[in-house]
Amino acid sequence: MWGMDRTGRVWYHGGDPREIWKGEDTMFGEKKEKRFVRTVHEIADKGSVGGIFVYADTETGVQYIHIVGDGRGGLTVLVDREGKPLLREDLIKKPSEP
């Protein structure tokens, strides 16, 4: 039986996936640089499943908070006191020059 893990790698029940998988580490064609980078990772209380993650978009600099735990989770934009998205300008990638 064939299956797929969270990274998009294909595997086969009853066999070593390293023997089956011959493609790239992506299920969407050519491998690209990651657009989102994790900047914060805090683990929930000891013995609990989940945590708090903050991701930054490397194209816009906008930060997002992702909270997971006990089978639930949520994702939202981080904002400042005026309601504007919090930015990480130091992580914005400059466009490649031709």
Side-chain angles (χ1 to χ4, degrees):
M1 170 184 241
W2 288 93
M4 187 178 298
D5 67 10
R6 289 186 226 168
T7 66
R9 292 187 179 117
V10 176
W11 48 270
Y12 180 75
H13 289 287
D16 185 348
R18 291 170 293 189
E19 297 299 318
I20 304 293
W21 183 249
K22 304 294 183 196
E24 293 292 322
D25 282 346
T26 178
M27 63 183 202
F28 298 111
E30 70 182 57
K31 194 171 187 175
K32 299 179 181 178
E33 289 188 38
K34 292 182 180 179
R35 177 169 175 174
F36 296 91
V37 293
R38 185 171 60 201
T39 59
V40 175
H41 174 204
E42 293 184 17
I43 298 174
D45 297 330
K46 188 175 182 178
S48 177
V49 176
I52 299 171
F53 307 88
V54 176
Y55 294 93
D57 183 338
T58 60
E59 289 186 15
T60 64
V62 174
Q63 295 184 84
Y64 301 86
I65 187 166
H66 181 211
I67 301 173
V68 293
D70 298 326
R72 290 171 267 173
L75 177 76
T76 190
V77 175
L78 288 172
V79 296
D80 63 14
R81 290 181 180 178
E82 292 142 13
K84 296 179 184 175
L86 283 178
L87 301 179
R88 281 288 305 260
E89 294 186 22
D90 60 316
L91 295 177
I92 298 174
K93 294 180 183 173
K94 306 294 182 219
S96 310
E97 293 183 16

